[in-house]
Amino acid sequence: QKLRQCEGVVIDLSANELDAELAELLLAVDLHSAPVYPVELFIETYFYKIDLSHVTLASALDGTFIADHQKAYGKLKSVVDGFLAAACLLAVLPLMLLIALIIKLEDFGPVLFIQERIGRFEDPFWLYKFRTMSVRSEADSQLYTATSDSRITKVGRMLRLMRLDELPQLWNVIKGEMSIIGPRAEWSKLVEQYQQQIPFYHLRHLVKPGITGWAQVNYGYGASLDDTLQKLQYDLYYIKHYSPHMDASIVLKT
């Protein structure tokens, strides 16, 4: 009777095999009282992310996570990305020229920040952003940027606040290196570290990185290994489920 008052029952089926009696009980509960969810399905359904602790070699190889060029929508998305990026670039070009002038006037340094990032199938490419840090910081070995980072210029802080420093990435989309929507393109030095420390990290490279994405709108900026692990769970959910409806949702959240 109490089970009928529950919205559902969550159980971890990965630890041990269930005995026949408990298995029959769970089937009966699912049929007559409340839905029974394996914990990984519950997390995926209600929190919109993949529980990394339940990703196995079998699930990594059985077609659960498919490269974007193997899906019909993935192929269409690449074409749409190119047209949208070109249209957006033309629309914001006057603004970009103004931003470039302001950056140059602040400290007479380079306008663009160019860094090697890792794209689909782990192919490296040069990502373009408006420079938001002082010129001397480019040689800095610090891997993450803090919220109150002293390396960020006054103009750069405003650009970061409004995400305008991302606008040059439209050129990366036009070149086919990025998508409008996808996992964040990470610095090659960080990727080397993550692949050694986070299992199945390489799966996020099945799709093109994006200017915005499911992890970006649900978790935000990551500044640690644990943050990266959390964001990977959202990235894997996106790779498994991405669709026109989901991409539209990400655009609205962005």
Side-chain angles (χ1 to χ4, degrees), residues 174-191:
I174 293 171
K175 291 172 68 180
E177 298 163 335
M178 292 182 64
S179 174
I180 299 292
I181 298 169
R184 185 177 187 271
E186 292 288 3
W187 187 18
S188 54
K189 288 185 179 181
L190 285 173
V191 170

Side-chain angles (χ1 to χ4, degrees), residues 198-233:
I198 301 177
F200 303 107
Y201 182 82
H202 68 281
L203 289 174
R204 74 193 300 277
H205 296 127
L206 285 169
V207 301
K208 291 180 182 179
I211 298 176
T212 185
W214 190 240
Q216 291 93 308
V217 298
N218 281 286
Y219 195 84
Y221 179 73
S224 69
L225 187 66
D226 184 63
D227 286 341
T228 301
L229 191 152
Q230 295 298 324
K231 291 185 70 175
L232 177 61
Q233 296 183 108

